[in-house]
Amino acid sequence: MAIVRLLHLRAAFHRHGGASAPPPPWRLLRLSNRVVRSFSSAMSPPSKAVVYDEQGAPDAVCRVKELPPAPIKDEDVCVRMLAAPINPSDINRIEGVYPVRPPLPAVGGYEGVGEVHSVGSAVKELRPGDWVIPSPLSSGTWQTFVVKEQNVWHKIDKHTPMEYAATITVNPLTALRMLEDFVDLKSGDAVVQNGATSIVGRCIIQLARVRGIQSINIVRDRPGSDEVKETLKKLGADEVLTEKQLEVKNVKSLLAGIPEPALGFNCVGGNAASLVLKFLKQGGTMVTYGGMSKKPITVSTSSFIFKDLSLRGFWLQKWLSSDKAMESREMIDYLLSLTRSGELKYDMELCPFDQFPTALDKALGKLGSQPKQVIKF
């Protein structure tokens, strides 16, 4: 096809009064590519997507469907998606229980990484081949091609491992903001958290270690807890304790040389949240960013009156919806640099897009405890 295009261009050159000597083939090829880009950039390729028309159980309402080509306007960028995770918040949106949901019918997914396929005529900062992520987060990443305005996309370093680029915003950025926003922590201080085996929990351990902050980590009692403790300590955890170990009157006696933490993180609720509160020092703060147990947080009266503890909440999407777009991109670049240096890592499993139902079952917990599922397109 390329040869045919070259011959047509050569003939056109002569028809329109070209010089007696035709331009060299390399120039014709550049002209050919320019012509192809001008035509192909008008519409995206067809896209295969995970679509849902109604809220409900994801495995019941989601289906893979081919979408027609989409127009690419002057300010638009067409991105060929490389990878996108299945996050709990994605599942909650499909179920209809998340506070912010896209209009129906919708394509699933809110974060991921892709490669620029083509750009509109007014786009100057991005070009085909660049790697980009939606920043702030944007719906519809569970599809092979996405067309959105250029200000949605943030160019990143292509040397970043693809699975980390796809998952850098929701979990690692949550961990970083919670370490930064609530208490002025300094090197030598300590934090305490439950849900330490989650991706946010693992990121807190590693980001705290980078800053010289010690971490106390609470995990569930389950088979293999000794291996879990060892894994977290290799990441930089200073202390890892099971909930059963904390069935003592004075949990702070278990800390040895670790200072009382001023900041705690809760993503579980129920008794696990109460254990975090027990560790906090006078005037300490517990930040809640999840509720995996679906149980309420119970706080003793003495914790408020005599310890003056504070309870706060954190929701990344609310933080991003303020005027934090540029600031968040700088933080994302910092976090991505840590993944490239090996200072930030967590477990993930890449799953081919044509095996999406299996990845969804794993994300829903149907196949037992599984690492983060990342769809590879």
Side-chain angles (χ1 to χ4, degrees):
M1 291 298 294
I3 294 173
V4 172
R5 286 203 307 270
L6 291 175
L7 291 173
H8 282 305
L9 283 167
R10 187 185 291 266
F13 182 85
H14 286 296
R15 282 199 306 272
H16 293 285
S20 56
W26 62 264
R27 179 168 175 78
L28 284 171
L29 187 57
R30 283 176 56 186
L31 289 168
S32 170
N33 287 339
R34 199 173 303 154
V35 170
V36 170
R37 173 173 167 151
S38 67
F39 281 107
S40 65
S41 64
M43 299 291 288
S44 75
S47 184
K48 189 174 290 187
V50 176
V51 178
Y52 57 102
D53 299 312
E54 59 181 325
Q55 257 86 45
D59 52 348
V61 300
C62 287
R63 57 196 174 93
V64 177
K65 177 182 177 182
E66 184 159 309
L67 303 179
I72 302 172
K73 301 174 185 175
D74 291 350
E75 298 281 346
D76 286 347
V77 176
C78 174
V79 173
R80 180 177 68 86
M81 293 303 295
L82 300 174
I86 304 176
N87 288 315
S89 55
D90 297 324
I91 292 170
N92 292 156
R93 285 186 178 91
I94 297 168
E95 292 170 334
V97 298
Y98 202 74
V100 177
R101 304 184 294 274
L104 298 178
V107 176
Y110 254 72
E111 70 172 331
V113 62
E115 182 179 78
V116 174
H117 175 267
S118 55
V119 300
S121 60
V123 176
K124 306 300 181 186
E125 302 300 321
L126 296 172
R127 59 184 181 181
D130 287 343
W131 276 25
V132 292
I133 64 173
S135 179
L137 299 166
S138 185
S139 63
T141 58
W142 292 354
Q143 59 180 316
T144 50
F145 289 92
V146 179
V147 177
K148 291 183 182 287
E149 288 188 0
Q150 61 177 328
N151 59 10
V152 169
W153 302 107
H154 173 50
K155 181 180 175 180
I156 65 167
D157 190 326
K158 294 176 71 170
H159 294 97
T160 304
M162 180 176 61
E163 62 271 29
Y164 285 101
T167 58
I168 201 64
T169 305
V170 170
N171 294 138
L173 188 56
T174 292
L176 181 61
R177 289 315 327 148
M178 292 196 301
L179 281 167
E180 295 279 348
D181 287 353
F182 297 95
V183 173
D184 183 16
L185 296 171
K186 296 178 175 59
S187 180
D189 289 342
V191 296
V192 58
Q193 66 169 338
N194 58 34
T197 58
S198 68
I199 290 185
V200 172
R202 291 173 189 241
C203 289
I204 285 172
I205 291 170
Q206 295 167 89
L207 294 173
R209 179 204 61 210
V210 168
R211 294 180 53 183
I213 296 167
Q214 300 180 75
S215 64
I216 304 151
N217 302 276
I218 304 169
V219 298
R220 289 183 294 125
D221 294 279
R222 58 183 175 184
S225 58
D226 288 340
E227 289 82 358
V228 169
K229 288 182 178 182
E230 187 62 30
T231 297
L232 295 183
K233 287 190 174 182
K234 285 181 179 177
L235 292 178
D238 294 277
E239 188 61 77
V240 185
L241 302 163
T242 64
E243 293 178 356
K244 189 171 184 179
Q245 284 181 277
L246 300 180
E247 293 175 357
V248 295
K249 190 171 185 180
N250 182 14
V251 296
K252 292 177 183 177
S253 64
L254 302 172
L255 293 185
I258 301 176
E260 288 183 277
L263 181 61
F265 305 111
N266 163 54
C267 67
V268 181
N271 182 60
S274 301
L275 294 175
V276 170
L277 292 171
K278 287 183 179 181
F279 278 103
L280 293 177
K281 73 177 185 179
Q282 182 81 20
T285 299
M286 182 176 78
V287 180
T288 293
Y289 64 98
M292 291 189 294
S293 72
K294 299 182 179 179
K295 295 179 180 178
I297 299 168
T298 304
V299 186
S300 67
T301 302
S302 62
S303 293
F304 279 129
I305 296 176
F306 303 117
K307 292 185 67 179
D308 191 25
L309 298 183
S310 297
L311 303 185
R312 301 287 303 276
F314 181 80
W315 184 27
L316 180 67
Q317 185 147 337
K318 181 180 179 182
W319 185 85
L320 289 172
S321 65
S322 53
D323 56 350
K324 304 293 186 181
M326 294 310 298
E327 186 180 351
S328 67
R329 291 183 175 190
E330 292 174 1
M331 295 172 192
I332 285 168
D333 289 340
Y334 165 68
L335 292 167
L336 289 173
S337 72
L338 293 180
T339 68
R340 292 192 296 273
S341 67
E343 296 174 274
L344 184 64
K345 50 193 174 184
Y346 40 87
D347 294 336
M348 292 172 282
E349 182 179 9
L350 285 167
C351 180
F353 187 32
D354 60 6
Q355 296 177 25
F356 175 80
T358 301
L360 183 59
D361 283 346
K362 290 181 177 181
L364 292 170
K366 289 185 175 183
L367 304 176
S369 180
Q370 300 285 336
K372 168 80 72 181
Q373 295 298 301
V374 180
I375 307 163
K376 182 180 179 181
F377 297 96

